[in-house]
Amino acid sequence: MRKMIIAGNWKMYKDLEETKQLVNGLKAQMKIPSQNVVVVICPPFTSLAVAGELVRGSAIKLGAQNMSEHDEGAYTGEISWKMLKSAGCEYVILGHSERRQYFHESNELINLKAKKAIANGLRPIICVGETLAERESGVMERIITTQVRGVLKDFSQADMAVTTIAYEPVWAIGTGKTATPAQAEEVHKTIRSLASQLFNPSIAESLVIQYGGSVKPDNAAELLGQIDIDGALVGGACLKPDSFSAIIAAAKN
Ligand code: PGA
């Protein structure tokens, strides 16, 4: 049975004091519905060490929102895998559509980052997703396929075992427009069958594919109830303990 991973992407929100309040609030409220459900929080870099201390020994795992493809060096403003690990991270979100759109990250770069993360014991959550224009002009499947092939280039089966894919339609992120469960399920099926072609059916069967894009307490259960939806990457609704806890509670499988 696949794990269900509920991850909160805090984006550029929460200073240190707010971080403490959110993590402590979540620890007090959250009930993980089964052992199969994994909860990850991804605060901004400046909050990782503090959040890492607070979640130590709890069921909450720590992740980052980005990472350099380099080990170390003169790369002003960048953060390495080693820094993330020393703050307590086990996961790292890579290739979020905001990184692709505003910071011009390519599938090639995301692939390099993902391989660097895995080689150093971090689990990547790799994002893919089409824009509204791409969906409406009928090229969605081609875009998703190109992204998935690109970000997973030269991955081994062992690499796949620690990788999560997040399908996040760009038009649903932060807009309040969610893909319908059927729309999301269709793309998740496409991604899973591509993984089967690129690797093999058992890799595809065990691949965790999250949905992201305006996941809220009132739509989480239906989305997470789809056969090929194995979790959620949550933005806005992860910034409050009650809404993120409600989404976690909806993750029954
Ligand atoms: P949202 O963001 O839940 O606010 O739409 C999701 C994401 O960008 O990961």
Side-chain angles (χ1 to χ4, degrees), residues 10-213:
W10 293 19
K11 307 196 179 183
M12 198 174 75
Y13 292 99
K14 308 294 179 187
D15 64 16
L16 289 178
E17 202 42 54
E18 293 163 340
T19 295
K20 289 179 197 158
Q21 282 168 16
L22 178 49
V23 176
N24 286 330
L26 195 57
K27 277 165 72 178
Q29 277 194 36
M30 164 191 103
K31 285 200 179 60
I32 298 188
S34 94
Q35 286 203 331
N36 215 37
V37 177
V38 178
V39 174
V40 185
I41 56 167
C42 304
F45 292 135
T46 46
S47 289
L48 286 175
V50 161
E53 285 298 318
L54 291 172
V55 300
R56 188 179 302 166
S58 80
I60 304 173
K61 313 257 183 220
L62 191 68
Q65 299 172 21
N66 185 24
M67 190 197 92
S68 171
E69 72 277 25
H70 301 291
D71 289 314
E72 63 181 359
Y75 300 104
T76 301
E78 290 291 276
I79 301 285
S80 72
W81 60 265
K82 197 165 170 226
M83 297 166 186
L84 298 184
K85 286 193 75 170
S86 73
C89 288
E90 290 175 58
Y91 289 81
V92 58
I93 300 172
L94 294 173
H96 189 278
S97 69
E98 287 149 17
R99 301 290 324 163
R100 292 174 183 263
Q101 194 181 343
Y102 306 136
F103 303 97
H104 313 293
E105 292 200 6
S106 63
N107 291 322
E108 292 72 25
L109 178 66
I110 297 159
N111 173 252
L112 286 179
K113 291 183 175 194
K115 283 192 287 206
K116 181 62 75 180
I118 294 169
N120 293 290
L122 287 165
R123 295 170 175 268
I125 297 176
I126 309 177
C127 306
V128 298
E130 82 288 358
T131 63
L132 188 58
E134 288 162 347
R135 176 172 277 263
E136 286 178 343
S137 62
V139 297
M140 177 185 78
E141 191 167 331
R142 186 161 57 75
I143 295 290
I144 299 289
T145 301
T146 304
Q147 290 178 344
V148 172
R149 281 181 183 277
V151 299
L152 299 182
K153 189 165 179 286
D154 299 330
F155 267 43
S156 66
Q157 295 191 16
D159 294 341
M160 288 303 290
V162 295
T163 295
T164 294
I165 299 283
Y167 167 58
E168 298 205 304
V170 177
W171 49 273
I173 295 177
T175 57
K177 278 189 212 153
T178 323
T180 63
Q183 281 173 324
E185 172 65 13
E186 186 197 350
V187 182
H188 282 232
K189 266 202 166 49
T190 303
I191 295 171
R192 200 175 304 287
S193 77
L194 180 58
S196 180
Q197 274 174 48
L198 294 174
F199 299 94
N200 61 50
S202 97
I203 292 282
E205 192 47 45
S206 51
L207 177 66
V208 173
I209 309 176
Q210 294 175 313
Y211 169 78

